[in-house]
Amino acid sequence: MSIDFEQLRADALEAVSAAGDSEALQALRVRYLGRKSPLKSALRGLSDLPAEERARVGRLTNEIKNDIEQAVAGRSEALEREHESELGGREWSDLTLPARRGRRGHRHPITLVEQDLDNLFRGMGYRVVEGPWVEDEWHNFDALNIPKWHPSRDSFDTLWLSDGNLMRPHTSPVQIRAMKRFGAPLRAVFPGRVFRNETLDATHEAAFNQIEGLVVDREITPGHLFHSVKAILSAILEEDVETRFRPSYFPFTEPSFECDIMRNGDWMELCGMGMVHPTVLEAGGLDAQEWTGFAFGLGIDRLAMMRYGIDDIRWFHRGDLRFLEQF
Ligand code: PHE
């Protein structure tokens, strides 16, 4: 049996360098180096050869075997590198991408409007202060110039608690708390929930939200009040709103006004306000000879309804996802 060793080496090296993937390479390894390969049978047949032939053929087959092994190892590495760089092109990771988040809820429309209001007022130098939902009679009524016998107490539809305290029917008691806490001059808003014993309909809820504004300084006039309220409403509604100020009555302001704005050809009542009554300044610990101020109270729910085109205030508390998911 004679083998053309040089032809075998040339064939093997060519085939190995052309192997397209690791399976093809493995098949070539078996074919050229495996137990049944021509090289292995040549090695097995060495003992039958004459001595001088044996040495020559032994050296040659070993040399060829080494060459093929090296070629297989080299090709294998090259294939591995190719595979990796191909993967790199296909399966790369962008480490700058933000991590995937779980499903999250979102803010309630009332909260959205309230946060906008907070930011708006902060930008105008007002501080944002919250007061308690459960109030005492003094902060809610007496300090606001509404003594026990005063008929306007009845107009608040107050929800009384068995301990004599009450669910605040407006945010005005926070005026007193803020004056006592911060003194004058003062520029602050008090957003938050209020409660009334109301008969519910599309525009009345037993729990709703107000934002109260209070400015105390020297020589504050109704001019400051009218200008501020118009500027604030225009900023909130993002248009130059047409306002109308009507005389009104609140025990804690004198004079008092009601502000209406023009909406779709109709005047809409939006905001009670007035010059802070001297008795209220004194209840807040301030000298009414020295300090003056104005206050206003805005309905947040009504603003949210206007902004989002909501036709019934009762949607806000229904917890209906079909409604809530729109915001
Ligand atoms: N507290 C009044 C209300 O709830 C609104 C108001 C606030 C009026 C401040 C005057 C000044 O109706």
Side-chain angles (χ1 to χ4, degrees):
M1 183 184 69
S2 91
I3 306 174
D4 183 341
F5 284 109
E6 289 310 328
Q7 186 65 46
L8 178 69
R9 180 189 345 227
D11 289 351
L13 295 184
E14 195 191 321
V16 165
S17 71
D21 54 36
S22 58
E23 281 105 73
L25 192 60
Q26 176 60 19
L28 289 173
R29 188 205 305 272
V30 170
R31 178 157 147 218
Y32 288 107
L33 302 170
R35 265 183 302 117
K36 295 178 188 154
S37 62
L39 271 184
K40 281 285 157 72
S41 34
L43 283 170
R44 273 195 298 273
L46 274 183
S47 53
D48 300 338
L49 294 176
E52 65 279 19
E53 268 292 274
R54 196 186 303 163
R56 192 185 63 83
V57 174
R59 220 181 302 117
L60 188 58
T61 38
N62 259 322
E63 200 187 292
I64 294 174
K65 184 175 131 263
N66 287 339
D67 281 358
I68 298 177
E69 273 172 357
Q70 259 183 37
V72 168
R75 185 62 193 146
S76 168
E77 247 175 65
L79 282 174
E80 184 64 24
R81 269 199 307 276
E82 264 174 45
H83 179 61
E84 269 170 16
S85 75
E86 190 207 333
L87 266 189
R90 205 153 26 93
E91 296 188 357
W92 57 286
S93 306
D94 181 351
L95 299 180
T96 66
L97 277 178
R100 236 173 252 171
R101 294 209 190 125
R103 202 173 123 89
R104 278 224 208 156
H106 57 83
R107 295 189 180 93
H108 190 278
I110 295 287
T111 310
L112 291 173
V113 172
E114 193 194 302
Q115 285 177 340
D116 281 358
L117 288 166
D118 289 355
N119 288 332
L120 176 71
F121 281 112
R122 281 203 183 92
M124 296 190 298
Y126 287 70
R127 64 163 83 216
V128 179
V129 181
E130 288 191 37
W133 292 355
V134 173
E135 261 301 359
D136 58 64
E137 194 177 347
W138 187 79
H139 282 93
N140 193 75
F141 290 121
D142 305 81
L144 290 173
N145 195 32
I146 318 175
K148 286 226 167 23
W149 47 264
H150 201 287
S152 88
R153 277 206 181 200
D154 300 336
S155 69
F156 281 101
D157 300 305
T158 306
L159 292 158
W160 290 90
L161 302 174
S162 50
D163 63 2
N165 287 325
L166 50 93
M167 303 301 293
R168 66 175 185 192
H170 58 169
T171 41
S172 298
V174 195
Q175 287 188 30
I176 305 296
R177 293 180 179 277
M179 284 188 276
K180 281 185 167 297
R181 185 157 151 214
F182 302 111
L186 176 64
R187 219 185 297 175
V189 286
F190 324 119
R193 190 170 288 203
V194 298
F195 308 85
R196 291 189 193 179
N197 186 14
E198 294 268 15
T199 307
L200 308 191
D201 62 28
T203 55
H204 294 90
E205 254 286 11
F208 54 104
N209 302 271
Q210 291 185 333
I211 187 164
E212 181 109 1
L214 173 66
V215 171
V216 178
D217 210 323
R218 295 185 173 87
E219 292 170 35
I220 296 287
T221 69
H224 295 116
L225 169 61
F226 296 147
H227 173 81
S228 297
V229 167
K230 184 172 163 69
I232 290 157
L233 293 176
S234 294
I236 297 166
L237 297 170
E238 294 175 324
E239 63 179 66
D240 186 18
V241 288
E242 201 183 331
T243 46
R244 177 174 78 174
F245 295 97
R246 289 182 285 118
S248 183
Y249 173 77
F250 298 101
F252 32 95
T253 47
E254 178 58 34
S256 301
F257 309 92
E258 206 67 66
C259 174
D260 303 331
I261 64 165
M262 182 54 95
R263 282 317 257 191
N264 312 320
D266 262 335
W267 289 108
M268 179 169 170
E269 185 180 313
L270 199 60
C271 177
M273 56 196 223
M275 306 307 292
V276 181
H277 197 290
T279 304
V280 174
L281 290 169
E282 299 278 350
L286 301 179
D287 179 354
Q289 295 298 313
E290 183 179 1
W291 300 104
T292 49
F294 67 72
F296 56 88
L298 258 170
I300 295 181
D301 303 65
R302 205 165 270 191
L303 286 174
M305 290 169 78
M306 283 197 296
R307 175 191 284 191
Y308 296 117
I310 297 165
D311 58 359
D312 192 321
I313 194 173
R314 290 167 294 188
W315 280 114
F316 290 132
H317 287 164
R318 271 185 194 145
D320 188 325
L321 288 179
R322 291 169 306 174
F323 170 76
L324 294 171
E325 279 174 350
Q326 297 176 69
F327 302 97

